[in-house]
Amino acid sequence: MRMYDIIMKKRNGGELSKEEIRFFIDGYTKGEIPDYQVSSLMMAIYFQKMTAAETLELTLAMADSGDKLDLSAINGVKVDKHSTGGVGDKTSLTLTPMVAACGVPVAKMSGRGLGHTGGTIDKLESFPGFSTGISNDTFIKNVNSIGIAIMGQTADLAPADKKLYALRDVTATVDNMSLIASSIMSKKLAAGADAIVLDVKTGSGAFMKTEEDSFALAKEMVTIGKNAGRKMKAVISNMDQPLGNAVGNAIEVREAIETLQGKGPEDFTELCYTLGSQMLVLGGKATDEKEARAKLEEAVKSGKALEKLAQFVKAQGGDDSYVYHPEKLKLAPIEKDILASTDGYIEHIDCDEIGICSLMLGGGRETKESEIDLSVGLLLKKKVGDKVSKGEPIATIYASDEAKVLPVTERFLKAYHFTDKEVEKQTLIKGII
């Protein structure tokens, strides 16, 4: 088999066989096939597309290219959740203890963030002593004993995807539905869950900017998962404005805890209940979404969800007193309000720009080597549809460096667009597949 023939076949619109896909993935992972040939194939795929069968085989080949997590020793149906990312997305921190408190085991691999704020692991490290550097045995033991564990993603999980994505990123071949879907799903399949719930974001702060593209990506990923023998659901949710009110790291952990106390923002609470309901149904702990939601609401009301978070933090070396006293989570010392520049209704927020404001404060990473300041962030006080008066606080900045306050304030204000006409509140859940 020759890479030249595979490239030409796809260039001419042919369908690659399982053997041909395995050949190029295995060869590229081992360093036997050069970048220039694989980039040529990626460009051919970009223009000629892939069939459902090709997309599945590509996903499975990448999932098989490295380590695969064996969760067979964990009791019950293992349900994983994946978000395509966004601004203020601290969902795992609240959702996983809610679901675990209802009897669905959560065995999750998470990563560090590269972008607006830290990833789930960075946020969890706001708890002093917390570590995701646990062994596989401890990981499985914790899930079986308390129902939840989160560990750092191994470097050998779907290494073909990591290598392929880096190449696509510099050859203008990222934006292809099959390649995007297979990239996400290869890691999810390698992570070993029996069922997967996807939170596919749509809007100005999302990877997919239009609802049409977001639904198409969701359908593609659900199809891959089902064809690979997994139970699947996808929720398409709005990311035209930040999720919840907090954007940062420690400040997002505070909001996640407040939500487990039943005091969280309406949109963030709704998303957690929607995703959690799907997880409970797939996990066999509820017959339908209505029953599932009632169980999740009871877990929050009774305090069991909050207790589950405390058990999880303590089991992984963290100080669980912070769960019951979130005010102990350190916020940056410089606290400044951002004031509305005009009267009116908030018509639109450039969501990505709010994320960049957090990054400018030091809350995210420009590169993998960047150090995150977990204490900085933004707390939004007004969102789309809210009426404001000139001079009224619309957000609060928490900064460690006074010199960053003015440029962040100026950028933040440019992200808010006002009108003198009343504006409808945005719909959070766009659909479920």
Side-chain angles (χ1 to χ4, degrees), residues 45-47 49 165 168-169 171-180 207-208 213:
I45 288 172
Y46 179 86
F47 284 112
K49 316 300 181 192
Y165 188 87
R168 288 166 52 214
D169 195 33
T171 57
T173 52
V174 167
D175 193 16
N176 171 277
M177 205 62 74
S178 292
L179 296 177
I180 295 167
F207 180 62
M208 291 297 181
D213 284 347

Short mmCIF file of all heavy atoms in Angstrom, two decimals, residues 45-47 49 165 168-169 171-180 207-208 213:
data_model
loop_
_atom_site.label_atom_id
_atom_site.label_comp_id
_atom_site.label_asym_id
_atom_site.label_seq_id
_atom_site.Cartn_x
_atom_site.Cartn_y
_atom_site.Cartn_z
N ILE A 45 -9.28 15.68 1.56
CA ILE A 45 -10.47 15.40 2.38
C ILE A 45 -11.29 16.68 2.56
O ILE A 45 -12.52 16.65 2.51
CB ILE A 45 -10.05 14.81 3.75
CG1 ILE A 45 -9.55 13.37 3.57
CG2 ILE A 45 -11.21 14.85 4.74
CD1 ILE A 45 -8.93 12.77 4.82
N TYR A 46 -10.59 17.80 2.76
CA TYR A 46 -11.27 19.08 2.95
C TYR A 46 -12.21 19.38 1.77
O TYR A 46 -13.35 19.80 1.96
CB TYR A 46 -10.24 20.20 3.11
CG TYR A 46 -10.85 21.56 3.31
CD1 TYR A 46 -11.21 22.01 4.58
CD2 TYR A 46 -11.08 22.40 2.22
CE1 TYR A 46 -11.79 23.26 4.76
CE2 TYR A 46 -11.67 23.66 2.40
CZ TYR A 46 -12.01 24.07 3.67
OH TYR A 46 -12.58 25.30 3.85
N PHE A 47 -11.73 19.14 0.56
CA PHE A 47 -12.53 19.46 -0.63
C PHE A 47 -13.49 18.34 -1.03
O PHE A 47 -14.61 18.61 -1.47
CB PHE A 47 -11.61 19.81 -1.81
CG PHE A 47 -11.01 21.18 -1.71
CD1 PHE A 47 -9.65 21.35 -1.49
CD2 PHE A 47 -11.81 22.30 -1.79
CE1 PHE A 47 -9.10 22.63 -1.39
CE2 PHE A 47 -11.27 23.59 -1.68
CZ PHE A 47 -9.91 23.75 -1.48
N LYS A 49 -14.63 15.83 1.03
CA LYS A 49 -15.43 15.37 2.18
C LYS A 49 -15.18 13.88 2.47
O LYS A 49 -14.41 13.22 1.77
CB LYS A 49 -16.94 15.60 1.97
CG LYS A 49 -17.32 16.94 1.39
CD LYS A 49 -16.89 18.10 2.24
CE LYS A 49 -17.32 19.43 1.64
NZ LYS A 49 -16.67 20.58 2.30
N TYR A 165 -4.12 17.18 14.33
CA TYR A 165 -4.70 18.50 14.55
C TYR A 165 -3.65 19.60 14.39
O TYR A 165 -3.91 20.65 13.80
CB TYR A 165 -5.36 18.62 15.93
CG TYR A 165 -6.13 19.92 16.07
CD1 TYR A 165 -7.44 20.01 15.66
CD2 TYR A 165 -5.50 21.07 16.55
CE1 TYR A 165 -8.13 21.22 15.72
CE2 TYR A 165 -6.18 22.28 16.62
CZ TYR A 165 -7.49 22.34 16.21
OH TYR A 165 -8.16 23.54 16.27
N ARG A 168 -3.24 20.11 10.73
CA ARG A 168 -4.40 20.79 10.14
C ARG A 168 -4.41 22.26 10.48
O ARG A 168 -4.81 23.11 9.70
CB ARG A 168 -5.69 20.12 10.62
CG ARG A 168 -5.94 18.74 10.02
CD ARG A 168 -7.04 17.99 10.79
NE ARG A 168 -8.25 18.79 10.93
CZ ARG A 168 -9.05 18.75 11.98
NH1 ARG A 168 -8.78 17.96 13.01
NH2 ARG A 168 -10.13 19.51 12.02
N ASP A 169 -3.95 22.58 11.70
CA ASP A 169 -3.96 23.94 12.19
C ASP A 169 -3.09 24.87 11.35
O ASP A 169 -3.37 26.06 11.23
CB ASP A 169 -3.49 23.96 13.66
CG ASP A 169 -3.81 25.26 14.36
OD1 ASP A 169 -4.85 25.87 14.04
OD2 ASP A 169 -3.02 25.67 15.22
N THR A 171 -2.23 24.15 8.08
CA THR A 171 -2.44 23.91 6.64
C THR A 171 -3.86 24.29 6.19
O THR A 171 -4.31 23.88 5.12
CB THR A 171 -2.16 22.44 6.28
OG1 THR A 171 -3.00 21.58 7.07
CG2 THR A 171 -0.70 22.08 6.49
N ALA A 172 -4.57 25.06 7.03
CA ALA A 172 -5.92 25.56 6.70
C ALA A 172 -6.90 24.44 6.39
O ALA A 172 -7.74 24.56 5.51
CB ALA A 172 -5.84 26.54 5.52
N THR A 173 -6.81 23.33 7.14
CA THR A 173 -7.74 22.22 6.94
C THR A 173 -8.48 21.84 8.22
O THR A 173 -8.96 20.72 8.36
CB THR A 173 -7.00 20.98 6.38
OG1 THR A 173 -5.87 20.67 7.21
CG2 THR A 173 -6.52 21.23 4.96
N VAL A 174 -8.56 22.79 9.16
CA VAL A 174 -9.30 22.51 10.40
C VAL A 174 -10.80 22.43 10.13
O VAL A 174 -11.50 21.56 10.63
CB VAL A 174 -9.01 23.60 11.47
CG1 VAL A 174 -10.00 23.49 12.63
CG2 VAL A 174 -7.59 23.45 11.99
N ASP A 175 -11.29 23.34 9.29
CA ASP A 175 -12.72 23.56 9.13
C ASP A 175 -13.38 22.56 8.18
O ASP A 175 -13.85 22.90 7.10
CB ASP A 175 -12.96 24.99 8.64
CG ASP A 175 -14.41 25.40 8.76
OD1 ASP A 175 -15.15 24.72 9.47
OD2 ASP A 175 -14.79 26.41 8.13
N ASN A 176 -13.40 21.29 8.60
CA ASN A 176 -14.10 20.24 7.86
C ASN A 176 -14.87 19.41 8.88
O ASN A 176 -14.30 18.97 9.89
CB ASN A 176 -13.09 19.37 7.10
CG ASN A 176 -13.73 18.13 6.49
OD1 ASN A 176 -13.91 17.11 7.17
ND2 ASN A 176 -14.05 18.20 5.20
N MET A 177 -16.17 19.22 8.66
CA MET A 177 -17.04 18.62 9.67
C MET A 177 -16.57 17.22 10.10
O MET A 177 -16.56 16.89 11.28
CB MET A 177 -18.48 18.57 9.15
CG MET A 177 -19.51 18.55 10.24
SD MET A 177 -19.48 20.04 11.28
CE MET A 177 -20.22 21.25 10.21
N SER A 178 -16.19 16.39 9.14
CA SER A 178 -15.73 15.04 9.48
C SER A 178 -14.45 15.05 10.30
O SER A 178 -14.30 14.29 11.26
CB SER A 178 -15.51 14.22 8.20
OG SER A 178 -16.73 13.97 7.55
N LEU A 179 -13.53 15.94 9.94
CA LEU A 179 -12.26 16.02 10.67
C LEU A 179 -12.46 16.59 12.07
O LEU A 179 -11.82 16.14 13.02
CB LEU A 179 -11.26 16.86 9.87
CG LEU A 179 -10.83 16.29 8.52
CD1 LEU A 179 -9.87 17.26 7.80
CD2 LEU A 179 -10.16 14.92 8.68
N ILE A 180 -13.35 17.56 12.21
CA ILE A 180 -13.65 18.12 13.54
C ILE A 180 -14.31 17.06 14.42
O ILE A 180 -13.91 16.83 15.57
CB ILE A 180 -14.57 19.35 13.43
CG1 ILE A 180 -13.86 20.49 12.70
CG2 ILE A 180 -15.03 19.82 14.81
CD1 ILE A 180 -14.80 21.62 12.28
N PHE A 207 -16.94 27.68 18.91
CA PHE A 207 -16.16 27.28 17.74
C PHE A 207 -17.05 27.31 16.50
O PHE A 207 -16.64 27.77 15.44
CB PHE A 207 -15.60 25.86 17.98
CG PHE A 207 -14.78 25.33 16.85
CD1 PHE A 207 -13.62 25.97 16.46
CD2 PHE A 207 -15.16 24.19 16.16
CE1 PHE A 207 -12.85 25.49 15.40
CE2 PHE A 207 -14.40 23.70 15.11
CZ PHE A 207 -13.25 24.35 14.73
N MET A 208 -18.28 26.82 16.65
CA MET A 208 -19.26 26.89 15.57
C MET A 208 -20.13 28.13 15.77
O MET A 208 -20.85 28.23 16.76
CB MET A 208 -20.14 25.63 15.57
CG MET A 208 -19.40 24.37 15.16
SD MET A 208 -18.83 24.51 13.46
CE MET A 208 -18.03 22.93 13.23
N ASP A 213 -24.32 25.05 11.48
CA ASP A 213 -23.07 24.30 11.62
C ASP A 213 -23.04 23.52 12.93
O ASP A 213 -22.53 22.40 12.99
CB ASP A 213 -21.87 25.26 11.56
CG ASP A 213 -21.57 25.73 10.15
OD1 ASP A 213 -22.12 25.13 9.20
OD2 ASP A 213 -20.80 26.69 9.98
#
